[in-house]
Amino acid sequence: MSKQASIHYNGSTFDLPIIDGSEGECAIDIKSLRSTTQLITLDPGFKNTGSCESSITFLDGEKGVLRYRGYPIEELAEKANFLEVAYLLIFGELPTQEQHDVFLTDIKEESYIDEDLKKILESFPKSAHPMGVLSSLTSALTAFNPASVDVDSNEQMYNAIVRIMAKLPILVSWVFLKRMGLPLKYGDYSLGYVENIARMMFRKPNKEYVPNPIIDDALTKLLILHADHEQNCSTSTVRIVGSSHAGLFASVSAGISALWGPLHGGANQAVVEMLEAIKQDGGDTKKYLDKAKDKSDPFRLMGFGHRVYKNFDPRAKIIKKTADEVLGDLGVVDPVLDIAKSLEQEALNDSYFVDRKLYPNVDFYSGIIYRAMGIPTEMFTVMFALGRLPGWIAQWREMRTRKEPIGRPRQIYVGHNKRSFVPMDKR
Ligand code: ACO
């Protein structure tokens, strides 16, 4: 007999089926709950709610496991290139050399943007936050590519995927160049996907561009580590926006806005700002740990804690090692890295953080690497968005091809009961 859970309510018993995941996770299937019991579930922040079945990413927060399509993140970060990982996430299998090369060639073919989009970019003040600009430009791409995608057509789906994979890196580099006051240019399409992104961002108008393999490798690793993370805030946003059958650009634009917040992707910027503030304040890490523990103080230790990881974030382990290597290879001495290491050590030995299972997350060290590469702080979350793009696409595609219904949660209303309108002069 298949497993089920029972609810006893109002003198009756209702049986609900249990759904088994492929890694032993179980869920109560409540699809029939309201129609049979009149009850709904209440779970602010969705801490206990599965929004979908997915075959893309598996993570076990207790054991610190993260796998894309079954492959451990450690192996992918060590051995794969970013486009291979993107292909894996989106299409389900690692590409053959031929599939990889065709994907890259198709992306190169689409690597241009309507010049009119530059006018929109130029109308933003230079001081505008790059995440706001990127989200707006991504949404604006819809206007320049208005054809909607027939999700039942493999060809149309593939073309939409190629288009956004091609155009987002150009937008990212343009947002960066605009911020730096540099001319907006295209890349060199004889290069690989990540190598070309590095060139678009780091080429100076007055100098021959010389690629730096250390930067290309570090960028590849960071983008792979950020590529997907199952149903996090921005990915859930992409899926829910897409569930209304909004297009891919519009859905990704919404994901970028969700990622921007300091409790999510914006944490990489917030971490470096926090470490800088500690440095300016004399480097007293204990003072900031005490602030983080003080419930009357809104300060949180940025880059610490995670909704799902309650042991360690496997991405943080890889990134910490990469930070040491990159700073060493580039010959960068950054006192902020020393502050980060002391803060981490002290927090890991402090019962407040140990008891609450608060460990460094992926963002604790990523900002330090971006900084060593010469990327300004406000661009860190934009780099995260670039890495997360394949994950958003994969999740959007999965949601659309599985014909998931529109995302529309319910609520428990706790407001006023019915009352009569009072004219303004009587209030
Ligand atoms: N500093 C101090 N205390 C913390 C921190 C922190 N960074 N994170 C959690 N806590 C405490 C909470 O105050 C709470 O304490 P209490 O039980 O005494 O009330 C307890 O730990 C549980 O925290 P919640 O906020 O309930 O955990 P939740 O799962 O909702 O939040 C989150 C997770 C948002 C990541 C949180 O840990 C946080 O704000 N961290 C800092 C921001 C950050 O680094 N975000 C990046 C996440 S990774 C990513 O998005 C890519």
Side-chain angles (χ1 to χ4, degrees):
M1 202 182 90
S2 54
K3 285 189 282 182
Q4 48 190 27
S6 300
I7 290 187
H8 305 284
Y9 172 64
N10 239 356
S12 302
T13 299
F14 303 91
D15 293 329
L16 296 163
I18 300 286
I19 305 276
D20 287 317
S22 50
E23 289 284 348
E25 290 174 315
C26 298
I28 305 171
D29 178 350
I30 59 158
K31 285 193 214 76
S32 64
L33 183 69
R34 187 166 176 276
S35 60
T36 52
T37 65
Q38 311 300 307
L39 292 169
I40 62 166
T41 56
L42 183 64
D43 185 21
F46 312 122
K47 291 192 176 192
N48 305 283
T49 298
S51 59
C52 59
E53 291 176 71
S54 178
S55 341
I56 302 170
T57 289
F58 171 70
L59 75 84
D60 181 331
E62 268 68 39
K63 296 195 184 120
V65 170
L66 173 62
R67 294 183 206 135
Y68 297 161
R69 303 278 189 188
Y71 295 100
I73 190 65
E74 293 80 4
E75 275 187 54
L76 292 170
E78 180 73 33
K79 297 176 184 158
N81 75 41
F82 179 60
L83 206 62
E84 274 179 287
V85 172
Y87 190 99
L88 169 72
L89 284 167
I90 298 168
F91 301 111
E93 294 297 338
L94 284 167
T96 60
Q97 186 69 53
E98 193 192 342
Q99 287 167 329
H100 172 273
D101 295 349
V102 169
F103 193 39
L104 182 58
T105 306
D106 291 340
I107 288 172
K108 287 175 182 174
E109 281 295 310
E110 281 289 337
S111 291
Y112 59 88
I113 284 178
D114 192 309
E115 288 285 303
D116 279 348
L117 206 97
K118 281 188 182 166
K119 293 183 197 146
I120 303 179
L121 175 59
E122 272 152 20
S123 64
F124 281 100
K126 213 169 160 189
S127 58
H129 195 286
M131 281 299 272
V133 181
L134 183 68
S135 171
S136 308
L137 294 184
T138 307
S139 184
L141 280 178
T142 315
F144 294 95
N145 301 270
S148 63
V149 178
D150 172 2
V151 296
D152 293 323
S153 155
N154 285 340
E155 194 190 343
Q156 285 194 29
M157 187 60 110
Y158 178 79
N159 291 342
I161 291 165
V162 161
R163 226 174 287 136
I164 196 162
M165 285 292 294
K167 296 185 196 302
L168 201 84
I170 302 173
L171 292 186
V172 164
S173 67
W174 283 5
V175 168
F176 175 69
L177 295 170
K178 153 103 179 166
R179 195 166 176 76
M180 306 296 280
L182 295 168
L184 309 181
K185 292 268 168 67
Y186 285 105
D188 172 350
Y189 294 99
S190 63
L191 298 174
Y193 190 79
V194 170
E195 293 74 9
N196 186 39
I197 293 171
R199 184 180 190 278
M200 284 195 287
M201 291 183 69
F202 302 126
R203 180 179 41 158
K204 294 274 160 26
N206 55 340
K207 272 191 191 161
E208 184 84 12
Y209 175 75
V210 183
N212 184 336
I214 300 165
I215 288 192
D216 291 350
D217 286 352
L219 195 53
T220 297
K221 221 167 250 178
L222 285 164
L223 296 179
I224 290 175
L225 293 177
H226 281 121
D228 195 47
H229 212 234
E230 52 119 293
Q231 306 312 315
N232 57 82
C233 177
S234 57
T235 301
S236 301
T237 302
V238 169
R239 281 184 91 122
I240 208 161
V241 171
S243 77
S244 74
H245 294 192
L248 184 53
F249 290 130
S251 305
V252 167
S253 164
I256 293 170
S257 296
L259 187 72
W260 188 358
L263 297 191
H264 189 15
N268 56 11
Q269 174 178 340
V271 168
V272 170
E273 286 169 353
M274 173 188 79
L275 295 172
E276 271 293 338
I278 298 175
K279 192 182 97 188
Q280 301 294 332
D281 198 16
D284 185 354
T285 45
K286 185 167 177 313
K287 176 175 162 188
Y288 284 84
L289 280 185
D290 289 343
K291 269 165 78 61
K293 294 190 288 185
D294 179 356
K295 293 290 169 199
S296 63
D297 189 327
F299 176 79
R300 280 193 163 194
L301 201 55
M302 299 314 288
F304 257 75
H306 197 276
R307 168 59 62 80
V308 185
Y309 291 121
K310 300 298 175 195
N311 182 329
F312 63 90
D313 180 340
R315 303 167 300 173
K317 270 195 172 176
I318 303 170
I319 271 189
K320 182 179 178 183
K321 194 164 156 267
T322 309
D324 273 331
E325 286 164 5
V326 172
L327 267 66
D329 288 346
L330 294 175
V332 173
V333 180
D334 191 344
V336 148
L337 180 63
D338 298 329
I339 292 179
K341 285 184 177 165
S342 322
L343 209 53
E344 180 185 350
Q345 267 323 306
E346 286 161 33
L348 292 178
N349 289 310
D350 187 308
S351 61
Y352 174 94
F353 293 91
V354 174
D355 293 350
R356 289 171 180 76
K357 300 187 165 67
L358 300 170
Y359 293 87
N361 59 49
V362 66
D363 285 328
F364 194 64
Y365 284 104
S366 65
I368 294 170
I369 306 178
Y370 284 132
R371 193 170 131 110
M373 288 177 179
I375 296 177
T377 316
E378 288 193 345
M379 280 295 295
F380 295 173
T381 318
V382 169
M383 302 310 291
F384 189 157
L386 191 58
R388 184 53 55 90
L389 178 66
W392 288 333
I393 298 172
Q395 302 271 353
W396 181 88
R397 178 176 183 261
E398 183 179 74
M399 180 275 305
R400 288 303 310 272
T401 49
R402 288 191 181 172
K403 312 272 187 235
E404 282 180 14
I406 186 166
R408 203 299 187 187
R410 286 189 173 265
Q411 64 165 19
I412 293 292
Y413 176 70
V414 293
H416 286 286
N417 295 116
K418 188 180 176 196
R419 48 186 179 157
S420 295
F421 179 78
V422 181
M424 208 178 277
D425 60 345
K426 301 261 164 36
R427 285 174 216 161

